[in-house]
Amino acid sequence: MGLRMSFLMFLSLVSFAPLCFSQRGSNGNLYPQFYDHSCPKAQEIVKSVVKNAVAKETRMAASLLRLHFHDCFVKGCDASLLLDNSGNIVSEKQSNPNKNSVRGFEVIDAIKTALEKECPNTVSCSDILAIAARDSTVLAGGPNWEVPLGRRDAMDASISGSNNNIPAQTNTFQTILTKFKLQKLNIVDMVTLSGSHTIGNARCISFRQRLYNQSGNGQPDTSLEQSYAAQLRTRCPRSGGDQNLFPLDLVSPTKFDNSYFKNILASKVLLSSDQILLTKNEDSMDLVKKYAGNNELFFDQFAKSIIKMGNVAPLTGSKGEVRKNCRRINN
């Protein structure tokens, strides 16, 4: 009972949190003003390229936000995800969570090219990912925050880490929570950051089992609203159509808002990993309900949680390097 009350008291305090942040990162090495003297136009350049990319393809906002997540959950926020196969490096792009799924690399390339022209050998690819994630969120109508900066880039990748550390849509609630805790992120961060599914798409192959064989007994997932499931089956058959895309948020698919949490309450979300936020844990359920009823509360905590995620094991000081090309280490 004491833990329960503490959790609820924490939530009440969260609702009064400011939207923007300027403090140094929890490790003391990252801070928003890192490039103020060495490359004062850095964030302006990132924003310009991201804005143009999202204007051409609205979906790119979600793709760039996802790159930041999938990078930070493997060895920390070090741009290891961006490395292509070369020498001894086996690219994380080939892992199960990323193959034929993560995208937006050409936008990161364009940002890097522009930054190298403005201030060579200065802005890291890992910082580009963090800034682009923020700018994508804002462009989609989501919260703004000051991005702590000063990360450096990894000189290796980990395909095993990518396969094992990134939460999967078929994972149990406890498995997903464990993967967040391994990154020093808690249940509040887990539910809040899952709210990034308010934008973007999922492929038929990623939720097909919910429509036809959720528990291995040939029956659909009973937690999926029936009329919504019937609608999904029209374009996601038992076989074929694996790559057919569906919006993660059927209400406002390109707008960053709290509709995602309202959809969970209505049992109208694509992924099992989203629905279990309501059905498998009482604290998680409370958060879903609070965010569904309070968009500002969701925005406030999302800014806090993504800053916290961006502080996961960054390379700073003399560790790592600042890559000239985000796809390969420097010679």
Side-chain angles (χ1 to χ4, degrees):
M1 185 68 179
L3 284 173
R4 177 92 176 137
M5 289 301 295
S6 297
F7 181 79
L8 292 173
M9 286 175 66
F10 169 78
L11 287 178
S12 67
L13 290 172
V14 164
S15 63
F16 296 105
L19 190 59
C20 294
F21 303 83
S22 58
Q23 77 272 21
R24 284 175 177 258
S26 59
N27 54 34
N29 294 314
L30 304 181
Y31 54 99
Q33 299 80 21
F34 188 84
Y35 297 111
D36 280 7
H37 299 293
S38 60
C39 192
K41 293 184 179 178
Q43 296 203 50
E44 179 185 325
I45 290 170
V46 177
K47 182 178 181 179
S48 176
V49 177
V50 171
K51 185 176 181 179
N52 288 336
V54 173
K56 290 179 182 176
E57 184 190 12
T58 308
R59 180 187 171 202
M60 190 54 69
S63 299
L64 293 173
L65 179 56
R66 189 164 180 249
L67 283 180
H68 187 39
F69 279 77
H70 281 222
D71 179 49
C72 289
F73 269 75
V74 184
K75 306 195 308 93
C77 308
D78 61 4
S80 60
L81 171 59
L82 302 180
L83 290 169
D84 287 339
N85 288 326
S86 65
N88 296 323
I89 293 172
V90 180
S91 177
E92 293 170 17
K93 297 173 185 178
Q94 299 174 192
S95 70
N96 292 329
N98 293 335
K99 192 174 182 181
N100 299 322
S101 178
V102 288
R103 57 197 297 277
F105 299 109
E106 70 285 351
V107 179
I108 302 300
D109 292 339
I111 295 170
K112 185 60 175 171
T113 298
L115 285 169
E116 284 299 303
K117 186 176 180 180
E118 174 70 22
C119 37
N121 309 314
T122 302
V123 183
S124 68
C125 300
S126 46
D127 277 346
I128 290 172
L129 287 174
I131 300 168
R134 186 272 312 277
D135 292 344
S136 295
T137 301
V138 173
L139 283 167
N144 196 359
W145 63 91
E146 285 192 288
V147 181
L149 300 166
R151 301 167 189 80
R152 287 165 64 85
D153 300 325
M155 300 174 71
D156 59 357
S158 175
I159 191 168
S160 61
S162 188
N163 277 320
N164 296 324
N165 295 358
I166 297 172
Q169 68 273 11
T170 54
N171 286 160
T172 64
F173 181 93
Q174 192 55 51
T175 296
I176 295 173
L177 181 57
T178 297
K179 289 181 176 181
F180 271 79
K181 286 182 175 178
L182 286 172
Q183 311 305 329
K184 295 182 171 57
L185 299 170
N186 58 32
I187 191 169
V188 176
D189 302 315
M190 172 182 155
V191 177
T192 307
L193 294 174
S194 294
S196 61
H197 285 174
T198 180
I199 54 175
N201 298 283
R203 297 173 296 158
C204 166
I205 194 172
S206 66
F207 62 87
R208 174 182 282 126
Q209 88 286 347
R210 296 192 72 202
L211 301 178
Y212 303 103
N213 190 25
Q214 175 69 1
S215 303
N217 58 358
Q219 298 300 311
D221 187 348
T222 55
S223 70
L224 188 61
E225 199 273 330
Q226 290 186 7
S227 63
Y228 180 51
Q231 179 184 338
L232 295 173
R233 288 190 196 97
T234 63
R235 290 189 54 244
C236 187
R238 285 182 181 272
S239 61
D242 287 1
Q243 306 304 316
N244 288 352
L245 291 174
F246 297 77
L248 286 162
D249 176 354
L250 78 162
V251 175
S252 52
T254 61
K255 185 179 180 184
F256 197 103
D257 57 21
N258 66 339
S259 290
Y260 163 82
F261 296 102
K262 296 176 183 178
N263 295 338
I264 292 177
L265 294 180
S267 299
K268 292 183 177 181
V269 285
L270 294 180
L271 306 180
S272 174
S273 54
D274 291 330
Q275 193 62 46
I276 59 177
L277 297 180
L278 181 71
T279 59
K280 298 298 182 182
N281 180 280
E282 201 168 340
D283 290 337
S284 174
M285 177 183 68
D286 284 346
L287 269 173
V288 169
K289 290 178 177 178
K290 284 180 179 292
Y291 291 159
N294 190 332
N295 192 67
E296 185 179 355
L297 177 65
F298 166 48
F299 276 22
D300 287 349
Q301 185 58 40
F302 188 87
K304 282 186 169 183
S305 290
I306 199 166
I307 288 174
K308 186 177 175 184
M309 185 192 76
N311 285 339
V312 173
L315 299 173
T316 59
S318 60
K319 296 177 182 177
E321 64 180 10
V322 175
R323 284 185 222 138
K324 296 178 183 178
N325 181 328
C326 291
R327 293 176 181 266
R328 58 177 180 265
I329 62 174
N330 299 335
N331 293 325

